[in-house]
């Protein structure tokens, strides 16, 4: 059978194939992750902080969120694990001398050079642009490339000399597997901190409890009456 006008439709016109999945521009995604605050979506400005899951924030945006959580519904997943300012670490970042930013702008129109990374690894010089894995140390906030930590193995920070453990290394903007690992460590760390407070109080009670009842019982002992002599 034909359509109006006597035309015969072809098979590809009648049978619709699967819709093409739109590919996310990886470059745009990297720019968003490494140059914009996860909470406010504004460009990252010092002081910059990172959470225990490796996400980047402007410190003032985190403070405003903690003071007024009215925006929690919109970005709850990105901030639900941040309960206080202690849950983020202020980062010590190394500036990239090749990054121009808004330098040399004579017309007054400010622009940021997003094609080149603002920060680099202070050890091996890799740019922090998302093409290389970067980490920060939770104990001091210093930021390095993962390559630097692997090639120059040490138990102290390469910049400030602070001692750190494996648990202190947080991957920035890691994969889903990285985030799951960091989430498990975060929950375990917080659970230990919570349990670490309670046993101390219980231990004090257990240590002091035997003495108090004993002294109370001694005070409550009835006085012994003198024996009556029989005549």
């Amino acid at each position: 059978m034909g359509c109006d006008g006597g035309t015969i439709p072809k098979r590809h016109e009648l049978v619709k194939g699967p819709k093409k999945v739109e590919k996310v521009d990886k470059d745009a995604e990297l720019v968003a992750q490494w140059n914009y605050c996860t909470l406010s979506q504004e460009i990252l400005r010092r002081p910059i902080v990172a959470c225990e899951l490796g996400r980047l924030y402007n410190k003032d945006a985190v403070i405003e969120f903690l003071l007024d959580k009215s925006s929690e519904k919109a970005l709850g997943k990105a901030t639900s694990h941040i309960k206080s300012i202690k849950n983020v670490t202020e980062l010590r970042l190394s500036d990239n001398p090749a990054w121009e930013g808004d330098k040399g702008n004579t017309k007054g129109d400010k622009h940021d050079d997003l094609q080149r990374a603002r920060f680099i690894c202070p050890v091996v010089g890799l740019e922090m642009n998302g093409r290389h894995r970067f980490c920060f140390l939770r104990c001091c906030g210093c930021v390095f490339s993962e390559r630097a930590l692997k090639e120059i193995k040490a138990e102290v920070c390469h910049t400030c000399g602070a001692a750190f453990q494996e648990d202190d290394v947080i991957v920035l903007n890691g994969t889903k597997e990285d985030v799951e690992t960091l989430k498990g460590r975060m929950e375990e760390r917080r659970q230990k901190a919570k349990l670490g407070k309670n046993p101390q109080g219980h231990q004090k009670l257990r240590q002091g409890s035997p003495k108090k009842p004993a002294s109370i019982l001694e005070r409550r002992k009835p006085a012994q009456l003198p024996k009556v002599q029989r005549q």
Side-chain angles (χ1 to χ4, degrees):
M1 294 178 63
C3 298
D4 293 341
T7 59
I8 300 175
K10 296 181 181 180
R11 183 178 183 278
H12 73 273
E13 294 176 347
L14 295 174
V15 181
K16 294 183 179 180
K19 293 183 179 180
K20 294 182 179 179
V21 180
E22 295 182 1
K23 293 183 179 179
V24 180
D25 188 349
K26 291 184 178 181
D27 291 336
E29 187 177 357
L30 289 176
V31 168
Q33 285 184 340
W34 294 92
N35 292 280
Y36 291 89
C37 171
T38 305
L39 182 59
S40 65
Q41 306 301 316
E42 296 179 355
I43 195 162
L44 289 169
R45 304 290 185 191
R46 279 192 171 97
I48 300 171
V49 298
C51 65
E52 294 174 272
L53 301 183
R55 300 184 182 120
L56 298 171
Y57 308 85
N58 286 328
K59 188 175 182 178
D60 57 351
V62 175
I63 293 174
E64 289 177 6
F65 164 75
L66 293 173
L67 293 176
D68 180 14
K69 295 187 178 181
S70 58
S71 61
E72 187 175 2
K73 293 181 180 179
L75 294 168
K77 292 182 180 180
T79 55
S80 59
H81 60 291
I82 301 177
K83 306 298 182 183
S84 71
I85 197 65
K86 294 181 180 179
N87 297 144
V88 296
T89 303
E90 186 169 337
L91 301 181
R92 301 174 67 177
L93 296 153
S94 301
D95 292 322
N96 183 3
W99 184 72
E100 295 182 356
D102 57 1
K103 295 179 182 178
N105 192 342
T106 56
K107 296 182 180 179
D109 298 329
K110 292 186 178 181
H111 70 280
D112 291 299
D113 182 13
L114 299 179
Q115 301 300 322
R116 191 174 293 276
R118 296 170 56 193
F119 309 109
I120 61 173
C121 172
V123 180
V124 296
L126 294 175
E127 291 190 350
M128 199 175 83
N129 52 15
R131 295 177 176 84
H132 310 283
R133 286 169 64 86
F134 268 72
C135 313
F136 78 92
L137 302 182
R138 197 170 52 88
C139 56
C140 60
C142 294
V143 180
F144 304 96
S145 64
E146 191 178 62
R147 184 187 299 180
L149 293 177
K150 288 182 177 180
E151 291 182 357
I152 309 174
K153 294 183 179 181
E155 296 180 355
V156 295
C157 176
H158 299 312
T159 300
C160 66
F164 70 91
Q165 299 176 353
E166 184 181 357
D167 184 64
D168 293 319
V169 181
I170 307 294
V171 179
L172 289 171
N173 290 326
T175 62
K176 290 182 179 179
E177 291 76 12
D178 293 328
V179 174
E180 288 298 320
T181 301
L182 292 173
K183 187 177 181 180
R185 290 182 181 179
M186 177 188 70
E187 292 174 352
E188 183 180 357
R189 191 161 47 240
R190 293 185 182 184
Q191 188 67 18
K192 285 182 179 178
K194 188 182 295 184
L195 293 175
K197 294 179 181 179
N198 295 335
Q200 292 180 0
H202 292 314
Q203 190 174 3
K204 289 180 180 179
L205 288 174
R206 287 196 299 268
Q207 290 176 352
S209 57
K211 295 181 180 179
K212 277 192 174 181
S215 59
I216 292 173
L217 289 174
E218 288 177 0
R219 288 198 300 269
R220 290 184 180 179
K221 281 183 179 180
Q224 293 183 355
L225 297 173
K227 294 181 180 179
V228 180
Q229 295 182 356
R230 295 180 180 179
Q231 295 180 354

